[in-house]
Amino acid sequence: MTLEEIRSRLEAFVPGCHAEIVVNGSPSAQNSLLIDRQHGLQAAMYLRDHPELQLDFCSNVTAVDWPDREKAEKIKTKRIVDGVEKEVEETKKTTIPGYLEVVYHLFSIAKKEGPVVLRMHTANRTDEVTLQSLTPVWRSAEFQEREAFDLFGIVFEGHPDLRRILMWEGFTDHPMRKDYVPPPDDDLEILAVSEPGA
Amino acid sequence: MLGEGIVKGLAETARNFLGSFIEKDRLVTVQYPEERLPVVEAARMFPFLIYDGVDQEEGLRCVACQICEKECPPQCIHIEKSKDKKPDFIGKQQFYPAVFDIDVSVCMSCQICVEVCPFDAIRMDNEFELSTDDRFAGLLWPKEKLAMPNEHYLAIHPTEATEVEARRAEEKAQAEAKKASQPAAVAK
Amino acid sequence: MTQALPSEAEQDQVMEISMGPQHPSTHGVFRMDIRLDGERVLRLKPVIGYLHRNHEKIAEAASYLAAIPYTDRLDYLCSMTNNWGYALAVEKLAGLTVPERAEYIRVIVSELTRLQNHASVVGFLLQDMGASGTPLMYAFREREKVMDLFESLSGARMMCNYMRFGGVRVDCSAEWLSQAAKVVAGFNGFLDEFERLLTGNEILMARTQGVGVLPRELAINAGVTGPGLRASGVNYDLRKVDSYGVYGRFEFRVPLGEHGDVYDRYMMRVLEMRESLRILEQALRDIPSGPFMDPKARLRGLRPKVGEAYARIESPKGELGFYLISDGSPNPYRYRVRPPSLINLTVLEDMCLGQSIADVVVILGSIDIVLGEVDR
Ligand code: SF4
Ligand code: SF4
């Protein structure tokens, strides 16, 4: 089944679901499906249980951080300079709000096909970072979603055991975000100070 | 029969144990450091800088282009470019590294620096007994410690080094031929 | 004499123990929070992250080339296959091709990696069962020969850093190939010896058969890959399914288990070694001459087009995937490793529930994890 067919079926059979094809420009040509936030779980169930797709194996789950971007646009405006109307070029900066994205790579063991790439976006990067967990559909997402929660700060609703996995309990930041600033290296300083003669 | 598998297994260990007295294949332990295996030609430990001739400063091939510094994955090379220039092996004026340090406590012996160096100036040494009691200064190797004569390179990586030698000789010959054919240009 | 039933207070005695991170059977720094009723496991939660160094972040800050030596350090027993997985992902992303000879060399070194990995895993598994040393040392004796081959090819025994996008770093000599052929020819004898030593052993069977059963459906749903999945009877080997590289040209079978217990996982490894030997024999026989690098490929300053790629290979541990997003700059925007060791751990609790604590060690050993890859 082509991605376009999958997309139209998803929209037809999962009520309210909105799916969009994201074109991948690299030679790998692995295009992906962007699913809206509210229907991730239902769409995943559909993909797994559809007899022609049988995407029973969720191989890779990961997140990507897309921070706020600034887009500079040059626009021409008319303005009165020294009493004469002139056309002036101005750069207008618009901020494209950032978001966090999760990516699922699905394969079918039964049909030996794949990958079908699913993506979902959070509303923003700060306070609305909740997405539906797909662990109830594929257990293999369990640790990987925990990792995305830990390193990116995406909250997965419906995850059975959402705790930090690689960083320790009590750590507050999310190291894989692009704007993460590591704390000063305290350990090294202690080492240097405690070294006799240093 | 219960226990048959165990008996078979024990026969196997016995064969190995007794066999180790007669077969060389079964006795694989080498009593390092008294006994040593030969070091293979490809072996790599930490990088060194090659110099030609006898004088370290003069013969150093490195032109401080800092490509290796940029490409080194753990960023353990530190180079400071010189202000003045000195002639290289074909007589071209080139910069040289005023400072060239490698922090071998960070270096992971990956050989990326060797691969990216366009001047055949840095190669991997195979010396591995490098323990030191000073874990700061003793593991930050300056240019003086890194510099090794070309003969060392020829001795430890003979196949590769002879190829490099041949290539450099050719380059030199070409450069000299060019110089000879354009006396006017040089005079200018 | 009638035995007194345990009182209610005694029945309620549940113990919480923390196994690891410094425990000889955890194969590194790995901890399990276990709740026990006597010796029976009631709950088991793996705790990881002790070896976490954020490999992904490091690679995102480095150039495409500079990430290769870091991949060596993921699953440090199998640096060759890690290199291949990453190289394959970059090749997909940048649209590079690999010359025939390089493909064959890649197959040869990867199958050698599989041999030495499986040999040591079986050795460690036996070590975990209490067969201190002997099988492990036999395995290591054989592994040593493979490492010697790697050293004379790439310069390093474990951190090979050998593959490049569009080929391999150096060509292998005819002498190296004949040496490899010798090692391969000798390996069958070792496997025979190993099987005489172990496969029929009653203690081994008692400790492994019916222990840590992983049902087929759960294995698929939990994303278990590699020998663990095939031991549960699922015919899924990426060398067959994706036929990446030149695997499509070789004749080999995919061994399958029936019960999905520890014994099957042990047998999978032994049988896979035999199949690897078959692949090696064919590859060493058929290797063509020619270039070993794509002439288009550049070492430095690779800037793939904007886009993404996911590539996966059958590493000895399971499906090793690399997911890369390029934004057109010299370093990847997103670099992700899909670590088979970590995902295979998902089912550790399911396999251990109701088993005794001594079996936990064996079950963990049969999953075959390397903490460098679990924690990254
Ligand atoms: S061997 Fe690798 S880590 Fe060491 S200096 Fe060279 S590039 Fe850096
Ligand atoms: S060693 Fe080579 S790459 Fe490094 S600065 Fe010197 S000439 Fe340049």
Side-chain angles (χ1 to χ4, degrees), chain B residues 47 72-74 76-77 102 106-114 124:
Chain B
C72 169
C76 66
I77 305 180
I102 294 183
V106 175
C107 172
M108 56 183 183
S109 310
C110 65
Q111 206 173 354
I112 297 272
C113 49
V114 174
M124 298 306 273

Side-chain angles (χ1 to χ4, degrees), chain A residues 5-19 33-50 53 118 120 132 134:
Chain A
E5 277 167 7
I6 298 176
R7 192 196 66 83
S8 52
R9 282 192 192 208
L10 261 183
E11 290 202 332
F13 291 96
V14 180
C17 174
H18 179 76
L33 266 185
L34 178 65
I35 311 268
D36 71 305
R37 220 168 297 136
Q38 281 81 30
H39 297 87
L41 191 64
Q42 275 170 296
M45 292 268 195
Y46 178 80
L47 293 177
R48 186 192 63 182
D49 298 331
H50 190 285
L53 287 168
L118 284 194
M120 282 189 277
Q132 286 175 341
L134 302 191

Side-chain angles (χ1 to χ4, degrees), chain A residues 24 26-28 30 57 59-63 65 107 112 119 137 139-140 144 147 165 175 177-178, chain C residues 48 54 57 60 92-93 221-222 235 307-310 312 319 323 333-334 336 338 343 346 350 376:
Chain A
N24 174 0
S26 89
S28 75
Q30 293 168 336
F57 171 43
S59 163
N60 180 41
V61 181
T62 190
D65 181 17
F107 291 86
K112 306 226 179 350
R119 323 180 86 95
V137 187
R139 265 290 295 284
S140 53
Q144 305 188 67
E147 196 183 307
I165 183 165
R177 288 206 183 179
K178 291 283 170 190
Chain C
I48 62 171
N54 221 339
K57 188 100 180 170
E60 281 172 19
K92 269 194 181 173
L93 188 67
N221 193 255
N235 187 350
E308 59 172 49
Y310 180 70
R312 52 182 198 158
E319 175 184 324
Y323 174 55
Y333 183 80
R334 179 79 179 98
R336 151 85 179 165
R338 184 233 187 245
I343 294 155
T346 315
D350 303 71
R376 281 159 297 138

